[in-house]
Amino acid sequence: MLLGLLPDIEVVGAAADGEEAVRLVGEHRPEVVLMDLRMPRCDGVEATRRIRSRYPGTQVVVLTTFADDGSLFPALRAGARGYLTKDAGGEEIARAIAEVTAGRAGLSPAVQGRMLDALTGAGPERRPEGRGSGPGGPGGAGKPGQGAAGRGELPDGLTAREAEVLALVAEGLSNAEIAARLHVSMATVKTHINNLFAKTGARDRAQAVGYAYRHGIT
């Protein structure tokens, strides 16, 4: 339904599992497939591998609940050119589709961060020394007084939704209260919080709150 509302996008089919996805690609030869990972009969990784092998003109963007490395890297190795989590909005999905049809990678900022961490051997708990030891204190990455609002952009690759969740954390709301405020599931809130922790270098909510106030995300 969301894709059908986006300009310049025509939905030519919808599949219930990986087997059907491969069959429909053979029939319709779409430019892009949005692929789930956890499906019956044939999962998304295997379906992606088959599609990219048989129909190289079709690009695959994974759209899944799972942002863990165990899901991300097998999908990319199978040939996916994009990877988004299901809390992505229409604008982010449209951007990923445009990127892969142009021959570029359509990866969310959180996924890009995971890939960089894997390549450098770093993780959320092993951020560069500049985080947590600079002028801003734990999780800080900029000059004092130079907040996100003053720059007109969000720091450290935060999405607008992640910044919104961070602001609610700074207000002292629990995960359940944030979910109710934003009309999303608890799992979605946890995903946003994990992503913003990784991006900001915060190890707990207290550090995240400090980060929010230093960068004007309140």
Side-chain angles (χ1 to χ4, degrees):
M1 291 176 64
L2 174 62
L3 290 171
L5 297 173
L6 297 177
D8 303 321
I9 292 179
E10 178 187 1
V11 180
V12 297
D17 56 52
E19 293 280 1
E20 187 179 9
V22 176
R23 179 178 62 79
L24 288 176
V25 169
E27 293 178 5
H28 298 287
R29 303 298 176 95
E31 292 180 86
V32 181
V33 171
L34 290 184
M35 181 70 73
D36 201 354
L37 290 182
R38 309 291 170 86
M39 296 183 293
R41 295 204 297 167
C42 173
D43 66 23
V45 171
E46 179 58 27
T48 297
R49 185 178 294 109
R50 294 181 191 179
I51 289 170
R52 294 294 296 141
S53 174
R54 300 175 191 178
Y55 313 106
T58 296
Q59 302 296 335
V60 176
V61 175
V62 170
L63 184 63
T64 181
T65 304
F66 309 96
D68 57 282
D69 294 351
S71 300
L72 167 62
F73 294 107
L76 295 179
R77 284 193 292 267
R81 293 286 295 172
Y83 197 106
L84 303 172
T85 51
K86 286 184 177 177
D87 55 358
E91 181 179 340
E92 190 172 359
I93 294 172
R95 182 168 56 249
I97 291 173
E99 291 289 340
V100 300
T101 54
R104 299 184 291 270
L107 304 174
S108 70
V111 169
Q112 293 179 40
R114 282 187 177 275
M115 292 182 67
L116 287 173
D117 286 344
L119 290 172
T120 61
E125 72 283 359
R126 293 174 58 197
R127 289 286 172 169
E129 291 298 326
R131 293 192 190 275
S133 58
K143 296 178 181 179
Q146 189 179 24
R151 291 197 304 272
E153 61 183 16
L154 294 170
D156 295 315
L158 288 173
T159 66
R161 179 62 102 176
E162 289 163 358
E164 187 175 17
V165 171
L166 179 56
L168 295 175
V169 169
E171 285 184 31
L173 273 64
S174 67
N175 286 4
E177 291 169 331
I178 294 172
R181 178 79 66 88
L182 300 180
H183 305 289
V184 298
S185 69
M186 286 275 287
T188 296
V189 172
K190 290 178 181 178
T191 296
H192 285 313
I193 289 177
N194 287 337
N195 289 343
L196 68 88
F197 274 22
K199 292 178 182 181
T200 64
R203 293 188 295 273
D204 53 37
R205 294 174 88 92
Q207 289 191 357
V209 170
Y211 179 96
Y213 278 93
R214 283 193 300 276
H215 291 274
I217 306 175
T218 54

